Structures are given as C-alpha cells and as structure tokens.
Amino acid sequence: MPELIQKVEVEYQAGQTNYASGHLEAAKENFDKAVDMLMQGPVDVKSDDRLQREFDKIVEGVHNLEMASLKVGDGFSEQKAEPAPIDEANEVTFPVDPAQKARAEQELQKTASDLPLVLNDYVAGYINFFSTRGHKSLVLSWQRSGRYQEMIRRILKEEGVPQDLMYLAQAESGFHPLAVSRVGARGMWQFMHYTAPGYGLKNSWWVDDRQDPEKATRAAAKYLKDLFNQFGDWYLAMAAYNSGAGNVQRAVQRTGYADFWELYKRNVLPLETKNYVPIIVAMTIIAKNPAQYGLTPDEVDPPLAADKVKVDYAVDLRLVAEAVDAPLDQLADLNPSPLRLVTPKDAEYELKLPAGTKEKFGTAIAAIPEDKRVLWRYHRVEQGDSLDSIARKYKASPKAIAEVNNLETEEVVAGSKLIIPVSSEKKLAAASSFSKHPTHYKVRKGDTVLSVADDFAVPPDRVRKWNHMKGNSLRVGRAIVIYKPVAGGRPEPELASTSAKHSKSKKPASKAVASTHTVKQGETLTSIASQYNTTVAALQKYNPRAAEKLHPGDVLVVRR
C-alpha cells in the first residue's frame, strides 16, 4: 500500500510541476493518471483510510488549482493553436515537373538573394508541391507575411543574418504566431521549449514568448547566427535549427563533408531534416518570384499597426477589446503571447492596442479597479436593452450595475457604454437554477470540462456531476448532458428528486431554500460548496458529521 501511495504522489507532484510551468495537457494527464492509479488499484479506496486521504487530497488539490486559475481569467482556456504547415510538407515526396523546373532556373538567374539559392531535384519537387497540393497553405502564408515582413527584415538586418531567412518562418509556420508542430515546437519560428530559454524566450502559465512575433524573431536571428558561426554554412545552420547542432555535427564527422547536399545524398541526417532545407529553399524561390506562382501583392495583409502600453497588472483581453471598441480577434492578433487571453498577474507586459486607441484605453481602464480587470466587463447598450436584461446576460446585480455607473434611474441609453461589475462568485458559479430539460452536447476536438462549462455558463463541477465524471478531460465524440442556467428557474430533476427525509443531519428543517446532495466518490466539502454557491462553513453548520469525514452515499442538507 505505501508503494502505491508513493507512486501516486510522484504522479501528482509531476502534475503540480507541469501546471506551474504552464504545461496544461501534461498536467491534466498527470492528475488523471494519479486518480486512475488509485481507482484501479488492488484495494478499494473506500476501504483504506490512507488511500481515501490520498484520493481526497488529489481531488481537492486539482479542484483548487482549477478555481485559482479561473479567478484570474479562464485559467484552463488556452488560445487555439494552429498546426504547423511544415508538418504536412514533410510528409510528402513530390515529383519534379521538368517544365516548371526549367522556368524556375531561368527566373533564378535574375533573382537577387542574400542566401545561396540552389535549384536541384529535391528543391524542384517542393516547388511542384507548393504549386499544387500545398498551394492553399502557400497563399495563406503569403497573405499573412505582410503583417510581419517589415519587422522581420529589420531585426534580421540588426542581428547581421541574411534577410531572406525570413522565408524559414514562412515554411515553418506560415507566419502564424500560434503554430504548434507535432513535436511541440511553437510560434512563428517554431522554438522547442528547451531551446527557447537560452535565447531569452520565457514561458509561464500565462505567457509564452515563443508566440511573440518580435521576441521570437530576435531569438531566431541570434540562434541562426550562432549556428552559422559553428558550421560556416547557412544550409547546415538551417539543418541544425531543425534537428539540433549535435545531429549535424555528428553527420559531418562521420562523412568528413561539411556540405548539406553531400550529407543529404549519404543519408546521414534525419528524414525530416533532409526535407527541411529543400522546403525552405523552395519557399524562398517562390516568394522571390511570386507572379510565376499565382501570388499577387494585392493578397498581402497590411502591417499590424499598434499602440503600445506597459501594464503591470492582469487584464483580460476581452475587457481591453470592449474598452477600445475593437473585435477580440484583433486584440488576440496583436497580443498572441498571452496563453489564456489574460496578461500576466505579477510581471510587466507590453500590451499592444489598435493604432490610435491608447488614450481611449487609458480612460476606460482607469474606471475599472485594478483587481477587477479580469472579471469586470464593458457593455455597449443596444436598442431594446434594459438594466435587467443586461444584468441577466452577465449574471450580475442590476443594483451593482446602477451603482458603479452612477445611474439615477433604471433607464439605459442605446449607444452608451456601461461597466459591468461581474463578481468572481457569479463568474464561477454562473447560476443556482437550471433548466428541467437537458441539452445534449457532442464533444469536439479541444473541448475540456472547463471550456464546455464556460460555454454554457454553468459550474464545472455540475458538468462532472451530471455526467458522472472526474477530471477535466473529455473524449471527442462523447455526448454529454448539460442543464442550461435559467433566471429564477427550478433545479434540474437530479437535484430536485432527492428527498430531504433521507438526510443524516439532525438539524430541523428551515424555511430557507434547501435541497439535498448525495455525496459521490471523490467529492469534498470544498467541491460541494462550489457546486451550490455556498461555503464549507455553511455545509458544516447544517451537517455536523460532515466536519469529520465524507463518505459516498452520505446525504447533505444544502441551504442557500
């Protein structure tokens, strides 16, 4: 038994470490594995106090982490990553189109580049790929390139590396700051987590600098320059950027050739690295001769113009968008490095705003208390809105809205903007009454219990309870039950059906609103209090025995 508890504890501590480092998926896997080890062990958890204590500690710990994160933004709602385009290109071997290769050779003679451009069959095959099957991703990356070209060229020049290495980022990520590869490389320049810190890219639960276009470009330029200084050749530097300097160095030592194409022919590099350099060279040749490959200047996005303001407090980008009357997507494009749409709580962050909105932001944000900038919202009043309807939308108090906006009457004026004082309790608990009729939701890729709960504005613990599940993971394709919140509605059948006469509490009935709750495996007073928007002290007051220990099957009186 001690051996099992020790293994479970190791997994749980690993989850804590991953959580603190911002590795969300790994943390969830650790926590789920720890619970599974206990539940599937040789001894029933309920029959052994040591196992029960360990189980309670894990469930309580994970619950507390979820709640702590939710109190500062969404916590578990990560920005949606994009697949790295180079992953698709690496999977194919495309034939050479002789006519296309001949035209490319003619164009290449007139092409100026600060990189040595070679056109062989390996490169020509990828030119054919990007002209056919890969043309859609080529067009998208060409369009997005306009946002960052000026910035990238400036930084590459400042760092003393060829400016045409810009097309390495086009091949790697399609110039998408949220690109993530199959092996976990992230950002426009596809840095791995172990390489990034050495070049000044920090990663926390809230921010990943690999997704900051300017910081990542500076880091990539320095890294590529270091690799060139090591190998004396830009092609070998690019190969080392992909697979690591050690792999390339060993290949050179084995063969005696410090030449990428010789290493390619002798098959001493990983397959992905062999393809990597031809893909980048092909992309560069295409980008230098866009008209020949169906690309026009009209398709290129304009540069991202922005005002910059330094903030040393946590603020939700949704509030920022509302403050400056801009779409959330625009704020997210300008600020791709916050992983959870919230600036860091305990560090300075350079917030980028739509050009010309710096003063507007300063005025609007000053009206929101600093400790409320991840909770409160702005709402632009629309025709037909009323104070009550706005309050219901945000699950806020009409009185609180009136007070914070100094409203003398309940009338609201269309076109005006109101501060919405959303409380953390309202945001987390969302509602205490739910529809009698279930909604069936089919889990999609990327969904978690927390994200689904947030979408339907219901507490995460309710989602788990309704569907008899633990943890935060959801299986894609699974149909789950949701009881939507209703204003002044009645509880869902499961909560209303349990009779109070089964309660083990000796407290007499009260005229206060009361219901009962049957304790399930793994539940604690904290998790139950969160479900019902009450406190542990209140539960203990009406259920004296609960102060000692909870057992599955116990029935608690819940009064609100």
Side-chain angles (χ1 to χ4, degrees):
M1 203 60 58
E3 183 180 351
L4 173 60
I5 292 176
Q6 184 179 8
K7 290 180 179 178
V8 170
E9 188 65 21
V10 167
E11 200 68 41
Y12 176 63
Q13 292 302 327
Q16 294 271 5
T17 301
N18 278 322
Y19 178 99
S21 302
H23 304 146
L24 173 63
E25 292 301 326
K28 289 192 294 184
E29 288 179 9
N30 291 136
F31 292 144
D32 288 344
K33 185 175 180 181
V35 172
D36 288 343
M37 288 167 69
L38 283 171
M39 297 299 292
Q40 298 171 12
V43 178
D44 186 356
V45 171
K46 293 181 292 184
S47 67
D48 188 286
D49 285 344
R50 292 171 298 175
L51 293 180
Q52 185 67 56
R53 284 194 298 270
E54 184 71 6
F55 185 91
D56 288 345
K57 185 182 80 171
I58 292 173
V59 172
E60 185 83 357
V62 175
H63 173 79
N64 288 340
L65 290 178
E66 291 177 357
M67 292 299 101
S69 297
L70 282 165
K71 287 176 183 175
V72 188
D74 281 23
F76 276 81
S77 297
E78 295 185 280
Q79 289 217 52
K80 298 296 183 183
E82 292 285 330
I86 202 166
D87 281 345
E88 179 188 7
N90 261 318
E91 291 178 344
V92 301
T93 301
F94 241 65
V96 176
D97 181 329
Q100 186 182 67
K101 182 181 178 184
R103 289 194 300 273
E105 286 174 335
Q106 291 178 352
E107 289 289 342
L108 196 57
Q109 294 175 7
K110 300 178 287 184
T111 300
S113 174
D114 53 6
L115 275 177
L117 296 180
V118 173
L119 182 59
N120 52 31
D121 283 354
Y122 310 127
V123 174
Y126 278 109
I127 290 178
N128 189 20
F129 168 74
F130 288 116
S131 300
T132 52
R133 175 176 160 182
H135 193 257
K136 182 178 179 180
S137 64
L138 174 72
V139 171
L140 291 175
S141 65
W142 172 258
Q143 290 173 340
R144 198 178 289 112
S145 68
R147 303 182 185 188
Y148 307 106
Q149 275 195 32
E150 183 179 319
M151 176 271 293
I152 294 174
R153 289 189 183 281
R154 170 179 57 80
I155 290 177
L156 295 182
K157 184 178 181 179
E158 290 171 356
E159 295 297 332
V161 300
Q163 292 183 47
D164 282 348
L165 281 173
M166 173 179 71
Y167 301 112
L168 183 151
Q170 183 172 4
E172 282 270 23
S173 66
F175 293 113
H176 205 305
L178 300 184
V180 177
S181 76
R182 285 193 299 262
V183 296
R186 185 179 287 268
M188 187 184 295
W189 292 90
Q190 290 292 279
F191 269 94
M192 293 297 292
H193 66 88
Y194 46 78
T195 308
Y199 289 90
L201 300 179
K202 298 177 182 177
N203 177 28
S204 70
W205 178 251
W206 300 109
V207 174
D208 192 333
D209 284 344
R210 293 178 294 171
Q211 295 181 180
D212 184 300
E214 193 157 345
K215 289 182 179 179
T217 298
R218 182 79 61 185
K222 291 180 181 295
Y223 186 25
L224 285 163
K225 188 174 183 179
D226 285 348
L227 293 171
F228 176 78
N229 289 338
Q230 179 176 348
F231 293 103
D233 179 90
W234 284 115
Y235 283 2
L236 291 178
M238 286 188 278
Y241 189 93
N242 173 255
S243 65
N247 277 332
V248 176
Q249 188 65 53
R250 284 189 291 272
V252 171
Q253 291 171 347
R254 283 175 57 191
T255 63
Y257 286 98
D259 177 86
F260 173 79
W261 300 112
E262 282 294 333
L263 300 181
Y264 187 109
K265 293 174 187 176
R266 294 168 186 273
N267 202 30
V268 291
L269 293 172
L271 177 61
E272 181 178 307
T273 306
K274 288 176 62 178
N275 293 338
Y276 184 79
V277 172
I279 288 171
I280 294 169
V281 175
M283 189 71 80
T284 305
I285 291 172
I286 290 171
K288 303 289 280 187
N289 302 281
Q292 184 174 324
Y293 300 96
L295 304 175
T296 64
D298 292 342
E299 295 176 316
V300 176
D301 293 343
L304 293 177
D307 290 346
K308 299 177 181 178
V309 58
K310 291 185 178 179
V311 298
D312 56 3
Y313 51 80
V315 58
D316 195 305
L317 293 187
R318 282 159 283 215
L319 175 63
V320 177
E322 292 158 359
V324 300
D325 295 310
L328 175 60
D329 287 348
Q330 185 178 4
L331 266 297
D333 283 343
L334 290 170
N335 299 276
S337 61
L339 295 171
R340 290 163 180 82
L341 296 175
V342 176
T343 64
K345 182 180 180 182
D346 300 315
E348 188 175 74
Y349 177 81
E350 187 174 69
L351 179 66
K352 297 177 181 66
L353 304 167
T357 65
K358 184 175 181 179
E359 289 186 11
K360 188 175 186 178
F361 169 76
T363 301
I365 205 66
I368 308 292
E370 188 171 308
D371 63 343
K372 304 297 184 185
R373 292 173 184 173
V374 295
L375 293 170
W376 288 19
R377 293 285 180 267
Y378 269 107
H379 173 81
R380 183 167 294 282
V381 180
E382 298 178 0
Q383 199 69 40
D385 276 350
S386 67
L387 189 59
D388 283 343
S389 68
I390 295 170
R392 284 197 301 272
K393 177 179 179 179
Y394 293 96
K395 301 174 182 63
S397 160
K399 181 180 178 182
I401 295 175
E403 287 178 353
V404 78
N405 291 280
N406 297 316
L407 299 180
E408 296 181 359
T409 70
E410 292 189 358
E411 292 185 5
V412 291
V413 180
S416 64
K417 190 183 288 187
L418 296 177
I419 297 171
I420 311 297
V422 182
S423 70
S424 58
E425 290 79 11
K426 292 293 184 182
K427 185 172 183 178
L428 295 179
S432 59
S433 296
F434 303 87
S435 171
K436 294 187 295 180
H437 305 290
T439 295
H440 296 277
Y441 174 77
K442 190 173 183 179
V443 176
R444 295 173 297 181
K445 185 178 181 181
D447 281 341
T448 64
V449 169
L450 271 296
S451 68
V452 172
D454 186 60
D455 288 342
F456 285 94
V458 297
D461 283 334
R462 286 290 175 103
V463 177
R464 297 188 184 97
K465 174 175 178 163
W466 292 329
N467 295 279
H468 310 291
M469 62 174 67
K470 296 182 177 68
N472 194 43
S473 301
L474 289 174
R475 187 181 72 251
V476 175
R478 174 178 177 176
I480 62 175
V481 173
I482 303 289
Y483 291 91
K484 293 182 178 180
V486 292
R490 297 172 60 188
E492 73 280 7
E494 180 188 356
L495 298 181
S497 63
T498 310
S499 172
K501 68 181 181 181
H502 295 297
S503 173
K504 293 183 180 180
S505 170
K506 296 182 179 180
K507 285 288 181 180
S510 167
K511 292 183 180 179
V513 178
S515 60
T516 57
H517 175 84
T518 303
V519 177
K520 293 184 174 59
Q521 182 71 41
E523 289 189 318
T524 64
L525 287 176
T526 301
S527 65
I528 295 169
S530 176
Q531 290 182 41
Y532 293 94
N533 195 25
T534 186
T535 64
V536 171
L539 289 176
Q540 291 175 330
K541 177 180 179 182
Y542 295 107
N543 301 273
R545 295 182 185 177
E548 301 170 10
K549 188 175 181 181
L550 291 182
H551 298 275
D554 285 351
V555 180
L556 304 181
V557 173
V558 181
R559 301 182 189 277
R560 299 188 294 276

